[in-house]
Amino acid sequence: MTRYAAFLRGVNVGGVTVRMADVVRSLTAAGFGDVRTVLASGNVVLEAPGGPESVRADVEDILRREFGYDAAWVLVYDCSTLRSIATSYPFPPEADG
């Protein structure tokens, strides 16, 4: 199983309200492992056997089916890729502008 970070775009803004506890329950019921969320941000970490594209498609389908969020748009990265992106960030943490 691979550890992924899934970013649920547009949830809990603009009238789209999704409780993260319900997201955890739905993703867990769908077979994802060790599902955790960060506050109401729409950021989720989970484990899955497939690649990022299949995880993305499955999570978007679950959001549409379970929560009526027809415009669901999810970005998915394996955690090692996300770690690499974060460590390669080229700007100083407190740069002006």
Side-chain angles (χ1 to χ4, degrees), residues 1-5 32-33 45-52 55 77-80:
M1 295 265 249
T2 303
R3 191 95 178 126
Y4 291 101
F32 292 104
V45 290
L46 53 83
E47 292 181 350
V55 171
Y77 300 95
D78 65 79
C79 287
S80 63

Side-chain angles (χ1 to χ4, degrees), residues 72-90:
W73 177 39
V74 178
L75 302 171
V76 174
Y77 300 95
D78 65 79
C79 287
S80 63
T81 297
L82 194 57
R83 217 173 279 110
S84 175
I85 291 168
T87 58
S88 298
Y89 186 73

Side-chain angles (χ1 to χ4, degrees), residues 24-95:
V24 170
R25 275 191 288 280
S26 294
L27 294 176
T28 300
F32 292 104
D34 196 20
V35 180
R36 290 182 286 151
T37 60
V38 179
L39 303 172
S41 65
N43 298 337
V44 181
V45 290
L46 53 83
E47 292 181 350
E53 286 300 315
S54 68
V55 171
R56 180 194 55 78
D58 290 345
V59 172
E60 286 178 348
D61 182 56
I62 289 164
L63 289 172
R64 290 178 182 120
R65 186 179 66 245
E66 299 290 322
F67 303 102
Y69 183 28
D70 294 330
W73 177 39
V74 178
L75 302 171
V76 174
Y77 300 95
D78 65 79
C79 287
S80 63
T81 297
L82 194 57
R83 217 173 279 110
S84 175
I85 291 168
T87 58
S88 298
Y89 186 73
F91 305 104
E94 298 193 26

Side-chain angles (χ1 to χ4, degrees), residues 7-21:
F7 302 96
L8 316 181
R9 307 306 302 147
V11 297
N12 298 330
V13 295
V16 177
T17 303
V18 178
R19 291 186 59 234
M20 292 298 105

